[in-house]
Structures are given as C-alpha cells and as structure tokens.
Amino acid sequence: MSDPARLRPEDVLETLPLDTWHGPFPPELRERAVRALEAGKVQFLPGLGFQVAPEESGFLTGAAAGGARKNVSLDPATGTASNIGLPPEEATRIAAMIDRFGREALRLVGDLLPGYAPALERARTSFRPTEIAGRAYSVRHDDRLLHVDAFPTRPMRGRRILRLFTNVAPDGAPRAWRVGEPFEGFARAFAPRVRPPPPGGAWLMHRLGLTKARRSPYDHWMLRLHDLGKRDRDWQARVPRADIAFPAGSTWLCFTDQVLHAALSGHCALEQTFHLPVEAMRTPARSPLRVLEGVTARQLA
Ligand code: SIN
Ligand code: FE
C-alpha cells in the first residue's frame, strides 16, 4: 500500500500568539479563532500553559486515576469527581485543581469566542494522567485511531462538542495527535454504509436507561461513523493526515465532533468539554449536523 497523503500542519492548525486565560483579546485574534474552529482546524495556543501549584504536582502521575479507567472526570454541575484512586482529602484537592482549570478554560473560550458565550455550556472537565501509548484498548475505545467524537450514552441531537486541552506533563512529554482530512470527505466515505435507525429504537434505549436522552438520527449516524471509521483499517492507513506534537505547557482546542483526530501518545493532560447549539455558530452550515443532512438528504435532528 502506498504511503498516505500528508496534510501540512498549517492546513490543520491555526496558531495564535496568546498567553493569558482571559481577555480582552484583539478583535483580529477573535475573528481568526472563530473562522479557524468552524472551518475544522485545531486552534493551537503554544504559549498558554496551566499553572499547577507545587502542592498539586504529586497528582501528575498515573496513580491519580482509579481502577481500570484512564481519566478522572469532574461534573461542574455537582463539583464531584469520579474515578479517583486517592484518599478523600487528596480527592478534594485534585477536584479543586481540575475545577480551576475548567473555570480558566471557560473564561478563555468566553473571551476568545464571545459570539458563543451566551449559549456555551460547560460540560465535563477531565484529567488524563495515564500514558496513551502501549495500552490495550478495544477498537471502539481506541482513541489512537482517527475518529470524530460521538458518545453512546450522551445524545447530542446536533449540538456541537468543543474541547480544550492543556498538556501539563511534568517531564515535558508532548501529546502526539494525528489530524485527518476534512469532515465532509469522511462523511461521504462512510454515510452510505450506515443503515437508518430502527423505528422506536431510540425510544426504547432511553426507556431502558441506556442513553441519557433520546437519540436523534444525528446521534445514530455519528456513532456509526465513529465505529465504521475506527474499524476500517484500510481507510485508517490511507486517509490524508498530519501528525502534530503539542508540547508540554501548550493548549489547543477544536470541535472534536468535526475534526478527525487520534491521540497517539502522551500523559497528563487537562481537558474541558463544551456543548454549543448549532444556531450559536457563525456559520451553522459547517456543523456536522448540516453537512450530514446534505450528504444523506435527510433531516437528522
Ligand atoms: C480523544 O478525544 O480522542 C482523546 C484526546 C486526548 O486525550 O488527547
Ligand atoms: Fe476523541
């Protein structure tokens, strides 16, 4: 098989010279940010790190995550963190660190993307201490394979998933990502292989408690694209891509429901997820919902 086509880093990344978590930011930077994100680029902030306090530095080891799960995740609505393998006093302190990061991230996104701010929802915040490389995953859970984010239990009904990451690796290890071709090409390749959801299926799954809300056809299509793409080894091997190393002490954000991405290696990242209604976008036609509706000639949400 021939080597896959390489995308240039500047095709997939927009780099902004920004080193604080709050504005006001110049209008020109804000304009670049909204355009790049909605065009499906990763917004890279190489000069923006997150300050981990000296007494928190002990958390930057794999020991912080409990059991077989890889992340510690905080629900900002309740302030409680799940999956912590630490005694209660330390669990409280790590939850405080994760929440502090989440509040900084919210401030940054609100100030950099003021058009989103009124409708932006802060969802979960996570701490990802464990090394990605060399672990065993099922294909479906293997985020080292290119995918767009779609979650079986959390129907989005078309809403966007915007995620912000900061690499806080104490040993300076970069977080290595692979970024793939634009969403539309991916959707055109796989959507024809997706069969429509069975009538009543979404209702039943919700009734049985398998999903937190009723899945829309959009959720069905996105989950199927996620799984089909990860399972297609041939496509994984040949899809055009760029490999990017995000250094320790840097931050990046993108719409992970749109950007084909894979996390290949690295440890100790903090991550904040946001949800955004399609109508709050500058150009809703660029959303996966609208693109998929075009590709499938169906109304999906
Ligand atoms: C992912 O969303 O696929 C994982 C990203 C990461 O943890 O770097
Ligand atoms: Fe992902």
Side-chain angles (χ1 to χ4, degrees):
M1 198 184 309
S2 58
D3 285 346
R6 294 281 159 181
L7 302 172
R8 294 171 307 171
E10 59 268 35
D11 293 334
V12 301
L13 285 189
E14 176 80 12
T15 304
L16 286 189
L18 197 155
D19 58 8
T20 74
W21 289 93
H22 48 85
F25 299 119
E28 179 260 340
L29 286 194
R30 302 198 311 239
E31 183 62 27
R32 271 170 67 192
V34 69
R35 278 175 192 268
L37 287 168
E38 294 196 4
K41 284 186 167 185
V42 178
Q43 181 69 71
F44 179 36
L45 310 172
L48 186 62
F50 176 71
Q51 212 63 48
V52 175
E55 62 275 16
E56 292 167 340
S57 59
F59 296 139
L60 305 182
T61 74
R69 303 268 301 278
K70 44 189 185 188
N71 301 334
V72 178
S73 140
L74 178 89
D75 179 352
T78 62
T80 52
S82 67
N83 191 39
I84 299 185
L86 295 170
E89 191 271 329
E90 290 184 41
T92 305
R93 288 197 298 119
I94 200 171
M97 176 184 82
I98 297 170
D99 187 53
R100 194 172 78 248
F101 171 78
R103 283 184 280 116
E104 296 268 56
L106 178 64
R107 182 84 189 269
L108 176 81
V109 171
D111 286 356
L112 189 59
L113 302 153
Y116 293 175
L120 193 71
E121 180 204 330
R122 179 182 163 196
R124 298 189 82 83
T125 318
S126 69
F127 173 47
R128 304 164 175 237
T130 49
E131 175 56 48
I132 296 166
R135 288 172 54 107
Y137 307 87
S138 68
V139 172
R140 233 176 141 191
H141 290 112
D142 192 349
D143 289 338
R144 296 171 304 184
L145 298 167
L146 282 166
H147 65 283
V148 290
D149 286 345
F151 303 106
T153 60
R154 288 173 200 275
M156 296 304 295
R157 302 159 166 273
R159 279 185 309 155
R160 306 301 316 271
I161 303 172
L162 179 66
R163 290 185 134 173
L164 180 144
F165 296 84
T166 299
N167 183 348
V168 291
D171 60 352
R175 200 166 188 88
W177 271 33
R178 173 164 291 165
V179 177
E181 67 176 356
F183 181 81
E184 184 161 353
F186 168 61
R188 288 198 185 285
F190 287 101
R193 297 193 215 167
V194 178
R195 260 173 292 169
W203 174 84
L204 186 63
M205 274 189 287
H206 187 213
R207 272 305 291 271
L208 294 175
L210 300 175
T211 57
K212 296 188 203 296
R214 201 182 295 182
R215 268 186 203 168
S216 63
Y218 170 76
D219 296 294
H220 171 84
W221 253 269
M222 289 294 280
L223 284 163
R224 299 299 297 135
L225 293 188
H226 170 275
D227 293 358
L228 287 167
K230 279 187 174 175
R231 288 204 191 103
D232 191 333
R233 286 193 190 194
D234 188 51
W235 176 80
Q236 289 281 337
R238 68 184 155 71
V239 63
R241 86 278 310 280
D243 287 348
I244 309 286
F246 296 107
S250 74
T251 292
W252 62 102
L253 59 154
C254 67
F255 281 113
T256 56
D257 54 2
Q258 172 180 9
V259 175
L260 275 169
H261 63 283
L264 307 179
S265 69
H267 47 259
C268 292
L270 284 156
E271 175 269 339
Q272 176 62 53
T273 300
F274 301 95
H275 298 156
L276 186 77
V278 166
E279 303 74 42
M281 294 175 65
R282 164 84 61 83
T283 311
R286 292 189 179 275
S287 64
L289 172 64
R290 298 289 175 240
V291 170
L292 267 177
E293 287 185 330
V295 168
T296 60
R298 289 167 184 266
Q299 189 183 337
L300 296 177

